[in-house]
């Protein structure tokens, strides 16, 4: 028996035939089979790009995509599922893969940090200047002209505050807020109430506990319902430090955003920056309050004024970065607490309702009438500070599309 078996004639013929002849004689299934195995796994980054197509198309740099992804709940741990170490690396690939017909580079230079401008810097000084002029008019005019001077001064200060808050770091940004838009008008109304209470509230509460008031406030120093002009003057003068503190926070947070490589790293670096700028503003407000109290010869009222300033600054910072829901709720709760405290004193005069005024009377006897706004504003400011350390430290709160100045 031979070891080599002769191949059939047709097999030898196929082996000797040219390549193109063998291709014609092979069955169709053999011709269609590819040489390399087909890739069956889907591209996860492409799927993510399709899901956030609008974000990728309108982004001007990878940082904007990273901020948008974080706003949609994508974290560094989520980015690991897309074979990236962090969200910033994932955003860079998504930005580079977006087709652009204008020849834009895949990795553009980081946008410049926001700069201070002379227009909003001067506008922030205007409310304090007008308020100082109004306080001087109240001290220099007499009874017939004093109400007119007060009305004109209040209107001028209100318009100046509105203009100052419409521009600069405390003004609205060109972004879609995360909270409902109707909250903005409610926040402004309650802010006006809180400032009005700082001017009139302590005197009204003291007069109510004494059985009054017997008439409207006259603005005189010996009036039974005195005006607290020093706190309001300090708050309006503090509009400039508030704007500069917000500008400093925006600039430093922007620089940290361009240098960070992870969302957790960015939040850890911005959190002490937020606390530092907040403390810087409180220091400036305290100094202004001391100066105003010394010049006007009035009590400085540190507790209620500093807590109110802290509350207003945090509410403004959150609102300008798009987080309007929490400030509106907190401001509403604070103003409601002050209204309720004053209303219970008057309600306690009704027969059999004296117990309603007992809590406020006890608090005022122990710590004075300023304890009511200090407690309400202090608790509200602490609530917003905790909320701000969780929201304003996100990359999505400092998207490159925002320009605070």
């Amino acid at each position: 028996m031979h070891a080599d078996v002769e191949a059939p004639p047709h097999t030898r013929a196929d082996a000797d035939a040219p390549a193109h002849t063998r291709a014609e004689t092979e069955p169709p299934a053999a011709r269609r089979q590819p040489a390399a195995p087909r890739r069956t796994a889907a591209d996860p980054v492409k799927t993510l790009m399709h899901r956030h197509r609008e974000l990728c198309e309108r982004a001007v740099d990878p940082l904007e995509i990273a901020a948008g992804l974080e706003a949609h709940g994508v974290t560094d741990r989520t980015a690991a599922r897309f074979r990236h170490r962090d969200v910033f690396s994932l955003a860079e690939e998504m930005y580079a893969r977006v087709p652009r017909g204008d020849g834009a580079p895949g990795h553009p230079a980081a946008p410049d940090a926001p700069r201070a401008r002379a227009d909003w810097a001067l506008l922030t000084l205007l409310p304090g200047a007008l308020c100082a002029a109004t306080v001087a008019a109240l001290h220099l005019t007499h009874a017939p002209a004093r109400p007119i001077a007060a009305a004109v001064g209040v209107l001028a200060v209100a318009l100046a505050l509105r203009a100052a808050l419409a521009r600069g770091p405390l003004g609205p940004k060109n972004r879609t807020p995360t909270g409902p838009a109707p909250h903005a008008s409610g926040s402004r109304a309650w802010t006006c109430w809180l400032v009005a209470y700082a001017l009139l509230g302590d005197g009204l509460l003291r007069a109510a506990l004494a059985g009054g008031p017997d008439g409207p406030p006259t603005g005189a120093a010996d009036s039974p319902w005195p005006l607290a002009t020093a706190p309001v003057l300090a708050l309006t003068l503090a509009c400039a430090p508030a704007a500069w503190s917000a500008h400093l926070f925006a600039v430093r947070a922007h620089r940290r955003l361009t240098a960070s490589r992870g969302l957790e790293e960015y939040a850890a670096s911005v959190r002490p920056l937020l606390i530092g700028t907040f403390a810087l503003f409180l220091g400036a407000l305290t100094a202004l309050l001391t100066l105003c109290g010394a010049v006007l010869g009035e009590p400085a009222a540190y507790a209620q004024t500093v807590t109110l300033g802290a509350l207003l600054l945090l509410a403004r910072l959150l609102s300008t970065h798009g987080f309007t829901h929490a400030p509106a709720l907190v401001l509403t709760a604070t103003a409601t607490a002050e209204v309720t405290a004053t209303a219970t004193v008057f309600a306690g005069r009704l027969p059999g309702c004296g117990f309603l005024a007992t809590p406020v009377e006890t608090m005022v006897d122990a710590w004075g009438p300023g304890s009511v706004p200090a407690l309400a504003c202090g608790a509200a400011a602490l609530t917003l500070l905790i909320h701000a350390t969780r929201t304003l430290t996100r990359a999505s709160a400092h998207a490159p599309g925002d320009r605070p100045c």
Side-chain angles (χ1 to χ4, degrees):
M1 183 175 183
H2 298 284
D4 296 332
V5 180
E6 185 177 1
H10 67 275
T11 305
R12 292 195 306 267
D14 292 342
D16 297 336
H20 67 275
T21 307
R22 291 198 307 267
E24 293 176 356
T25 59
E26 288 178 352
R31 293 199 304 266
R32 288 196 301 267
Q33 187 173 357
R38 180 176 299 176
R39 185 180 180 182
T40 57
D43 187 351
V45 178
K46 185 176 182 181
T47 304
L48 187 65
M49 291 178 60
H50 179 73
R51 188 182 308 165
H52 302 283
R53 181 177 58 184
E54 183 179 356
L55 172 64
C56 296
E57 290 177 350
R58 74 167 186 265
V60 297
D61 51 52
L63 296 178
E64 188 171 352
I65 297 180
L69 291 177
E70 189 206 29
H72 286 87
V74 179
T75 63
D76 291 336
R77 184 174 300 178
T78 308
R81 298 203 301 263
F82 296 93
R83 305 184 185 95
H84 284 272
R85 63 183 181 275
D86 50 49
V87 174
F88 290 90
S89 175
L90 176 62
E92 289 175 355
E93 179 181 350
M94 293 174 65
Y95 182 83
R97 293 176 61 173
V98 173
R100 290 176 173 84
D102 55 355
H107 298 277
D112 295 334
R115 299 178 179 178
R117 292 173 50 180
D119 54 353
W120 66 257
L122 294 176
L123 283 176
T124 56
L125 298 173
L126 187 59
L130 292 177
C131 185
T134 303
V135 171
L138 290 177
H139 283 77
L140 296 177
T141 56
H142 299 285
R146 186 176 289 131
I148 300 177
V152 174
V154 168
L155 180 61
V157 172
L159 293 177
L161 280 174
R162 182 170 183 175
L165 297 180
R167 304 289 297 273
L170 299 178
K173 312 294 190 303
N174 295 326
R175 62 178 295 164
T176 303
T178 58
H183 291 153
S185 59
S187 297
R188 287 193 295 267
W190 289 121
T191 299
C192 293
W193 164 263
L194 292 173
V195 175
Y197 189 93
L199 178 65
L200 304 168
D202 291 351
L204 174 61
L205 188 58
R206 189 185 298 274
L209 291 174
D214 299 328
T218 60
D222 56 350
S223 173
W225 185 354
L227 300 179
T229 55
V232 177
L233 178 59
L235 287 172
T236 54
L237 290 173
C239 186
W244 282 105
S245 298
H247 174 72
L248 177 64
F249 175 65
V251 171
R252 296 299 178 88
H254 180 88
R255 292 176 181 174
R256 302 285 174 85
L257 180 62
T258 58
S260 298
R261 295 305 309 171
L263 297 179
E264 296 180 359
E265 174 190 348
Y266 177 74
S269 63
V270 173
R271 192 172 292 111
L273 175 63
L274 173 63
I275 301 298
T277 54
F278 177 68
L280 179 64
F281 168 76
L282 293 185
L285 177 59
T286 303
L288 289 172
L289 188 58
T290 303
L291 178 63
C292 293
V295 171
L296 298 177
E298 297 181 6
Y302 289 105
Q304 57 264 45
T305 308
V306 172
T307 53
L308 175 58
L311 172 61
L312 295 180
L313 175 68
L314 291 171
R316 195 64 192 175
L317 280 178
L318 288 166
S319 299
T320 53
H321 285 85
F323 305 97
T324 60
H325 184 66
L329 289 180
V330 172
L331 289 176
T332 302
T334 306
T336 302
E338 293 182 348
V339 172
T340 303
T342 306
T344 55
V345 175
F346 291 98
R349 300 178 181 179
L350 299 175
C353 297
F355 66 94
L356 295 176
T358 302
V360 177
E361 290 177 353
T362 304
M363 187 181 300
V364 172
D365 291 340
W367 300 297
S371 59
V372 174
L375 180 61
C377 295
L382 180 60
T383 302
L384 283 188
L385 180 60
I386 296 174
H387 181 65
T389 56
R390 300 178 58 185
T391 55
L392 295 183
T393 56
R394 300 176 183 173
S396 55
H398 306 278
D402 297 342
R403 289 295 177 264
C405 310

